[in-house]
CSV table of all heavy atoms in Angstrom, one decimal:
chain,number,residue,atom,x,y,z
A,135,LEU,N,86.5,85.9,119.0
A,135,LEU,CA,86.3,87.0,120.0
A,135,LEU,C,87.7,87.5,120.4
A,135,LEU,O,88.5,86.7,120.8
A,135,LEU,CB,85.5,86.5,121.2
A,135,LEU,CG,84.1,85.9,120.8
A,135,LEU,CD1,83.5,85.3,122.0
A,135,LEU,CD2,83.2,87.0,120.2
A,136,VAL,N,87.9,88.8,120.4
A,136,VAL,CA,89.2,89.3,120.7
A,136,VAL,C,89.2,90.1,122.0
A,136,VAL,O,88.5,91.1,122.1
A,136,VAL,CB,89.8,90.2,119.6
A,136,VAL,CG1,91.1,90.8,120.0
A,136,VAL,CG2,89.8,89.5,118.3
A,137,LYS,N,89.9,89.6,123.0
A,137,LYS,CA,89.9,90.3,124.3
A,137,LYS,C,90.7,91.6,124.2
A,137,LYS,O,91.6,91.7,123.4
A,137,LYS,CB,90.5,89.4,125.4
A,137,LYS,CG,89.6,88.2,125.8
A,137,LYS,CD,90.0,87.7,127.2
A,137,LYS,CE,89.0,86.6,127.6
A,137,LYS,NZ,89.1,86.4,129.1
A,138,ASN,N,90.3,92.5,125.1
A,138,ASN,CA,91.2,93.7,125.1
A,138,ASN,C,92.6,93.4,125.6
A,138,ASN,O,92.8,92.4,126.3
A,138,ASN,CB,90.5,94.8,126.0
A,138,ASN,CG,90.5,94.5,127.5
A,138,ASN,OD1,89.5,94.2,128.0
A,138,ASN,ND2,91.7,94.5,128.1
A,139,PRO,N,93.6,94.1,125.1
A,139,PRO,CA,94.9,93.8,125.5
A,139,PRO,C,95.0,94.2,127.0
A,139,PRO,O,94.2,95.0,127.5
A,139,PRO,CB,95.8,94.8,124.7
A,139,PRO,CG,94.9,95.8,124.1
A,139,PRO,CD,93.5,95.1,124.1
A,140,VAL,N,96.0,93.6,127.7
A,140,VAL,CA,96.2,93.8,129.2
A,140,VAL,C,96.3,95.3,129.5
A,140,VAL,O,95.9,95.8,130.5
A,140,VAL,CB,97.4,93.1,129.8
A,140,VAL,CG1,97.0,91.6,130.0
A,140,VAL,CG2,98.6,93.1,128.9
A,141,ASN,N,97.0,96.1,128.6
A,141,ASN,CA,97.2,97.5,128.8
A,141,ASN,C,96.1,98.3,128.2
A,141,ASN,O,95.5,97.9,127.1
A,141,ASN,CB,98.6,97.9,128.3
A,141,ASN,CG,98.8,97.5,126.8
A,141,ASN,OD1,98.4,96.4,126.4
A,141,ASN,ND2,99.4,98.3,126.0
A,142,PRO,N,95.7,99.4,128.8
A,142,PRO,CA,94.6,100.2,128.3
A,142,PRO,C,94.8,101.0,127.0
A,142,PRO,O,95.0,102.2,127.1
A,142,PRO,CB,94.2,101.1,129.5
A,142,PRO,CG,95.5,101.3,130.2
A,142,PRO,CD,96.3,100.0,130.0
A,143,ASP,N,94.9,100.3,125.9
A,143,ASP,CA,95.3,100.9,124.7
A,143,ASP,C,94.2,100.5,123.6
A,143,ASP,O,94.3,99.4,123.1
A,143,ASP,CB,96.7,100.4,124.3
A,143,ASP,CG,97.2,101.1,123.0
A,143,ASP,OD1,96.3,101.6,122.2
A,143,ASP,OD2,98.4,101.1,122.7
A,144,VAL,N,93.3,101.4,123.3
A,144,VAL,CA,92.2,101.1,122.5
A,144,VAL,C,92.7,100.8,121.0
A,144,VAL,O,92.1,100.0,120.3
A,144,VAL,CB,91.1,102.1,122.6
A,144,VAL,CG1,91.3,103.3,121.7
A,144,VAL,CG2,89.7,101.5,122.4
A,145,GLU,N,93.7,101.5,120.6
A,145,GLU,CA,94.3,101.4,119.3
A,145,GLU,C,94.8,99.9,119.1
A,145,GLU,O,94.6,99.3,118.0
A,145,GLU,CB,95.4,102.3,119.0
A,145,GLU,CG,95.0,103.8,119.0
A,145,GLU,CD,94.0,104.1,117.9
A,145,GLU,OE1,94.1,103.5,116.8
A,145,GLU,OE2,93.1,104.9,118.2
A,146,LEU,N,95.4,99.4,120.1
A,146,LEU,CA,96.0,98.1,120.0
A,146,LEU,C,94.9,97.0,119.9
A,146,LEU,O,95.0,96.0,119.2
A,146,LEU,CB,96.8,97.8,121.3
A,146,LEU,CG,97.9,96.7,121.3
A,146,LEU,CD1,98.8,96.9,120.2
A,146,LEU,CD2,98.6,96.8,122.7
A,147,TRP,N,93.8,97.3,120.7
A,147,TRP,CA,92.6,96.4,120.7
A,147,TRP,C,92.0,96.4,119.3
A,147,TRP,O,91.7,95.4,118.7
A,147,TRP,CB,91.7,96.9,121.8
A,147,TRP,CG,90.5,96.0,122.1
A,147,TRP,CD1,90.3,94.7,121.7
A,147,TRP,CD2,89.5,96.3,123.0
A,147,TRP,NE1,89.2,94.2,122.2
A,147,TRP,CE2,88.7,95.1,123.1
A,147,TRP,CE3,89.2,97.4,123.8
A,147,TRP,CZ2,87.5,95.1,123.9
A,147,TRP,CZ3,88.0,97.3,124.6
A,147,TRP,CH2,87.2,96.2,124.7
A,148,ILE,N,91.8,97.6,118.8
A,148,ILE,CA,91.2,97.8,117.4
A,148,ILE,C,92.1,97.1,116.4
A,148,ILE,O,91.6,96.4,115.5
A,148,ILE,CB,90.9,99.3,117.1
A,148,ILE,CG1,89.8,99.8,118.0
A,148,ILE,CG2,90.6,99.5,115.6
A,148,ILE,CD1,89.5,101.3,117.8
A,149,GLY,N,93.4,97.4,116.5
A,149,GLY,CA,94.3,96.8,115.6
A,149,GLY,C,94.3,95.2,115.6
A,149,GLY,O,94.3,94.6,114.6
A,150,ALA,N,94.1,94.7,116.8
A,150,ALA,CA,94.0,93.2,116.9
A,150,ALA,C,92.8,92.7,116.2
A,150,ALA,O,92.8,91.7,115.4
A,150,ALA,CB,94.0,92.8,118.4
A,151,VAL,N,91.6,93.4,116.3
A,151,VAL,CA,90.4,93.0,115.7
A,151,VAL,C,90.6,93.2,114.1
A,151,VAL,O,90.1,92.3,113.3
A,151,VAL,CB,89.2,93.8,116.2
A,151,VAL,CG1,88.0,93.7,115.3
A,151,VAL,CG2,88.9,93.4,117.6
A,152,GLU,N,91.2,94.3,113.7
A,152,GLU,CA,91.4,94.5,112.3
A,152,GLU,C,92.2,93.4,111.6
A,152,GLU,O,92.0,93.0,110.5
A,152,GLU,CB,92.1,95.9,112.1
A,152,GLU,CG,91.2,97.1,112.2
A,152,GLU,CD,91.9,98.4,112.2
A,152,GLU,OE1,93.2,98.4,112.5
A,152,GLU,OE2,91.3,99.4,112.0
A,153,ARG,N,93.2,92.9,112.4
A,153,ARG,CA,94.0,91.8,111.8
A,153,ARG,C,93.2,90.6,111.5
A,153,ARG,O,93.3,90.0,110.4
A,153,ARG,CB,95.2,91.4,112.7
A,153,ARG,CG,96.3,92.5,112.8
A,153,ARG,CD,97.4,92.1,113.8
A,153,ARG,NE,98.1,93.3,114.1
A,153,ARG,CZ,99.1,93.8,113.4
A,153,ARG,NH1,99.6,93.1,112.3
A,153,ARG,NH2,99.7,94.9,113.7
A,154,ILE,N,92.2,90.3,112.4
A,154,ILE,CA,91.3,89.2,112.1
A,154,ILE,C,90.4,89.5,111.0
A,154,ILE,O,90.1,88.6,110.1
A,154,ILE,CB,90.5,88.8,113.4
A,154,ILE,CG1,91.4,88.5,114.6
A,154,ILE,CG2,89.5,87.7,113.2
A,154,ILE,CD1,92.2,87.2,114.5
A,155,LEU,N,89.8,90.7,111.0
A,155,LEU,CA,88.9,91.1,109.8
A,155,LEU,C,89.7,91.0,108.5
A,155,LEU,O,89.2,90.6,107.5
A,155,LEU,CB,88.4,92.5,110.1
A,155,LEU,CG,87.4,92.7,111.2
A,155,LEU,CD1,87.1,94.1,111.5
A,155,LEU,CD2,86.1,91.9,110.9
A,156,ASN,N,90.9,91.6,108.5
A,156,ASN,CA,91.7,91.6,107.3
A,156,ASN,C,92.0,90.2,106.8
A,156,ASN,O,92.3,90.0,105.6
A,156,ASN,CB,93.0,92.3,107.5
A,156,ASN,CG,92.8,93.8,107.7
A,156,ASN,OD1,91.7,94.3,107.4
A,156,ASN,ND2,93.8,94.5,108.1
A,157,ALA,N,92.0,89.2,107.7
A,157,ALA,CA,92.2,87.8,107.2
A,157,ALA,C,91.0,87.2,106.6
A,157,ALA,O,90.9,86.1,106.1
A,157,ALA,CB,92.6,86.9,108.4
A,158,GLY,N,89.9,88.0,106.5
A,158,GLY,CA,88.7,87.7,105.8
A,158,GLY,C,87.6,87.1,106.6
A,158,GLY,O,86.6,86.6,106.1
A,159,LEU,N,87.8,87.1,108.0
A,159,LEU,CA,86.8,86.5,108.8
A,159,LEU,C,85.6,87.6,109.0
A,159,LEU,O,85.9,88.8,109.0
A,159,LEU,CB,87.3,86.1,110.2
A,159,LEU,CG,88.1,84.8,110.1
A,159,LEU,CD1,89.5,85.0,109.6
A,159,LEU,CD2,88.1,84.1,111.4
A,160,THR,N,84.4,87.1,109.1
A,160,THR,CA,83.3,88.1,109.2
A,160,THR,C,82.6,88.0,110.5
A,160,THR,O,81.8,88.9,110.8
A,160,THR,CB,82.3,87.8,108.1
A,160,THR,OG1,81.7,86.5,108.3
A,160,THR,CG2,82.9,87.9,106.7
A,161,LYS,N,82.8,86.9,111.3
A,161,LYS,CA,82.1,86.8,112.6
A,161,LYS,C,83.1,87.2,113.7
A,161,LYS,O,83.6,86.3,114.4
A,161,LYS,CB,81.5,85.4,112.8
A,161,LYS,CG,80.6,85.0,111.6
A,161,LYS,CD,80.4,83.6,111.5
A,161,LYS,CE,79.5,83.2,110.3
A,161,LYS,NZ,79.7,81.8,109.9
A,162,VAL,N,83.3,88.4,113.9
A,162,VAL,CA,84.3,88.9,114.8
A,162,VAL,C,83.7,89.7,115.9
A,162,VAL,O,82.9,90.6,115.7
A,162,VAL,CB,85.4,89.7,114.1
A,162,VAL,CG1,86.5,90.0,115.1
A,162,VAL,CG2,86.0,88.9,112.9
A,163,GLY,N,84.0,89.4,117.2
A,163,GLY,CA,83.5,90.2,118.3
A,163,GLY,C,84.6,90.6,119.2
A,163,GLY,O,85.8,90.2,119.0
A,164,ALA,N,84.3,91.4,120.2
A,164,ALA,CA,85.3,91.9,121.2
A,164,ALA,C,84.9,91.5,122.6
A,164,ALA,O,83.7,91.4,122.9
A,164,ALA,CB,85.5,93.4,121.1
A,165,ILE,N,85.9,91.2,123.4
A,165,ILE,CA,85.6,90.9,124.8
A,165,ILE,C,86.3,91.9,125.7
A,165,ILE,O,87.5,92.1,125.6
A,165,ILE,CB,86.1,89.5,125.3
A,165,ILE,CG1,85.3,88.4,124.5
A,165,ILE,CG2,85.8,89.3,126.8
A,165,ILE,CD1,85.8,87.0,124.7
A,166,HIS,N,85.5,92.6,126.6
A,166,HIS,CA,86.1,93.6,127.5
A,166,HIS,C,86.4,92.8,128.8
A,166,HIS,O,85.5,92.3,129.5
A,166,HIS,CB,85.1,94.7,127.7
A,166,HIS,CG,85.4,95.6,128.9
A,166,HIS,ND1,84.5,95.9,129.8
A,166,HIS,CD2,86.5,96.2,129.2
A,166,HIS,CE1,85.0,96.7,130.7
A,166,HIS,NE2,86.3,96.9,130.4
A,167,ARG,N,87.7,92.7,129.2
A,167,ARG,CA,88.0,91.9,130.4
A,167,ARG,C,88.8,92.8,131.4
A,167,ARG,O,89.5,92.3,132.3
A,167,ARG,CB,88.8,90.6,130.1
A,167,ARG,CG,90.0,90.8,129.2
A,167,ARG,CD,91.2,91.3,129.8
A,167,ARG,NE,92.0,90.3,130.5
A,167,ARG,CZ,93.0,90.5,131.4
A,167,ARG,NH1,93.3,91.8,131.6
A,167,ARG,NH2,93.6,89.6,132.0
A,168,GLY,N,88.8,94.1,131.2
A,168,GLY,CA,89.5,95.0,132.1
A,168,GLY,C,91.0,95.1,131.8
A,168,GLY,O,91.5,94.3,131.0
A,169,PHE,N,91.7,96.0,132.5
A,169,PHE,CA,93.1,96.3,132.2
A,169,PHE,C,93.9,96.2,133.5
A,169,PHE,O,93.5,96.6,134.6
A,169,PHE,CB,93.1,97.8,131.7
A,169,PHE,CG,92.2,97.9,130.4
A,169,PHE,CD1,90.9,98.2,130.6
A,169,PHE,CD2,92.7,97.6,129.2
A,169,PHE,CE1,90.1,98.3,129.4
A,169,PHE,CE2,91.9,97.7,128.1
A,169,PHE,CZ,90.6,98.1,128.2
A,170,SER,N,95.1,95.7,133.4
A,170,SER,CA,95.9,95.6,134.6
A,170,SER,C,96.4,97.0,135.0
A,170,SER,O,96.5,97.9,134.2
A,170,SER,CB,97.1,94.7,134.4
A,170,SER,OG,97.5,94.6,133.1
A,171,SER,N,96.6,97.1,136.3
A,171,SER,CA,97.1,98.4,136.8
A,171,SER,C,98.1,98.1,138.0
A,171,SER,O,97.9,97.1,138.7
A,171,SER,CB,96.0,99.3,137.3
A,171,SER,OG,95.6,99.0,138.6
A,172,PHE,N,99.0,99.0,138.1
A,172,PHE,CA,100.0,98.8,139.2
A,172,PHE,C,99.4,99.0,140.5
A,172,PHE,O,99.7,98.3,141.5
A,172,PHE,CB,101.2,99.8,138.9
A,172,PHE,CG,102.3,99.7,139.9
A,172,PHE,CD1,103.1,98.6,140.0
A,172,PHE,CD2,102.5,100.8,140.8
A,172,PHE,CE1,104.1,98.5,140.9
A,172,PHE,CE2,103.5,100.7,141.7
A,172,PHE,CZ,104.3,99.5,141.8
A,173,GLU,N,98.5,100.0,140.6
A,173,GLU,CA,97.9,100.3,141.9
A,173,GLU,C,96.9,99.2,142.3
A,173,GLU,O,96.3,98.5,141.4
A,173,GLU,CB,97.1,101.6,141.8
A,173,GLU,CG,97.9,102.8,142.0
A,173,GLU,CD,97.4,104.0,141.2
A,173,GLU,OE1,96.2,104.3,141.3
A,173,GLU,OE2,98.2,104.5,140.4
A,174,LYS,N,96.8,99.0,143.6
A,174,LYS,CA,95.8,98.0,144.1
A,174,LYS,C,94.4,98.6,144.0
A,174,LYS,O,94.2,99.8,144.4
A,174,LYS,CB,96.1,97.7,145.6
A,174,LYS,CG,97.0,96.6,145.9
A,174,LYS,CD,96.2,95.4,146.6
A,174,LYS,CE,96.8,94.0,146.3
A,174,LYS,NZ,96.7,93.5,144.9
A,175,THR,N,93.4,97.9,143.4
A,175,THR,CA,92.1,98.5,143.3
A,175,THR,C,91.1,97.4,143.7
A,175,THR,O,91.6,96.3,144.0
A,175,THR,CB,91.7,98.8,141.8
A,175,THR,OG1,91.5,97.6,141.1
A,175,THR,CG2,92.8,99.7,141.2
A,176,ARG,N,89.8,97.7,143.8
A,176,ARG,CA,88.9,96.7,144.2
A,176,ARG,C,88.7,95.6,143.1
A,176,ARG,O,88.1,94.5,143.3
A,176,ARG,CB,87.5,97.3,144.5
A,176,ARG,CG,86.8,98.0,143.4
A,176,ARG,CD,85.8,98.9,143.9
A,176,ARG,NE,84.6,98.2,144.4
A,176,ARG,CZ,83.4,98.1,143.8
A,176,ARG,NH1,83.3,98.7,142.6
A,176,ARG,NH2,82.4,97.5,144.3
A,177,TYR,N,89.2,95.9,141.9
A,177,TYR,CA,89.1,95.0,140.8
A,177,TYR,C,90.4,94.2,140.6
A,177,TYR,O,91.5,94.7,140.9
A,177,TYR,CB,88.8,95.7,139.5
A,177,TYR,CG,87.6,96.5,139.5
A,177,TYR,CD1,87.6,97.9,139.7
A,177,TYR,CD2,86.3,96.0,139.4
A,177,TYR,CE1,86.5,98.7,139.7
A,177,TYR,CE2,85.2,96.7,139.4
A,177,TYR,CZ,85.2,98.1,139.6
A,177,TYR,OH,84.1,98.8,139.6
A,178,ARG,N,90.3,93.0,139.9
A,178,ARG,CA,91.5,92.3,139.5
A,178,ARG,C,92.1,93.1,138.3
A,178,ARG,O,93.3,93.3,138.2
A,178,ARG,CB,91.2,90.9,139.2
A,178,ARG,CG,92.4,90.1,138.6
A,178,ARG,CD,92.0,88.7,138.4
A,178,ARG,NE,93.1,88.0,137.7
A,178,ARG,CZ,92.9,86.8,137.2
A,178,ARG,NH1,91.8,86.1,137.3
A,178,ARG,NH2,93.9,86.2,136.6
Side-chain angles (χ1 to χ4, degrees):
L135 304 172
V136 181
K137 288 202 174 196
N138 66 254
V140 280
N141 51 323
D143 183 339
V144 84
E145 294 300 323
L146 200 54
W147 193 5
I148 289 174
V151 168
E152 282 171 342
R153 287 176 200 275
I154 303 291
L155 290 171
N156 290 347
L159 284 83
T160 61
K161 300 161 187 161
V162 184
I165 299 176
H166 168 230
R167 53 77 81 192
F169 303 88
S170 24
S171 85
F172 179 66
E173 276 148 55
K174 269 247 153 297
T175 72
R176 63 198 286 255
Y177 301 102
R178 175 177 173 191

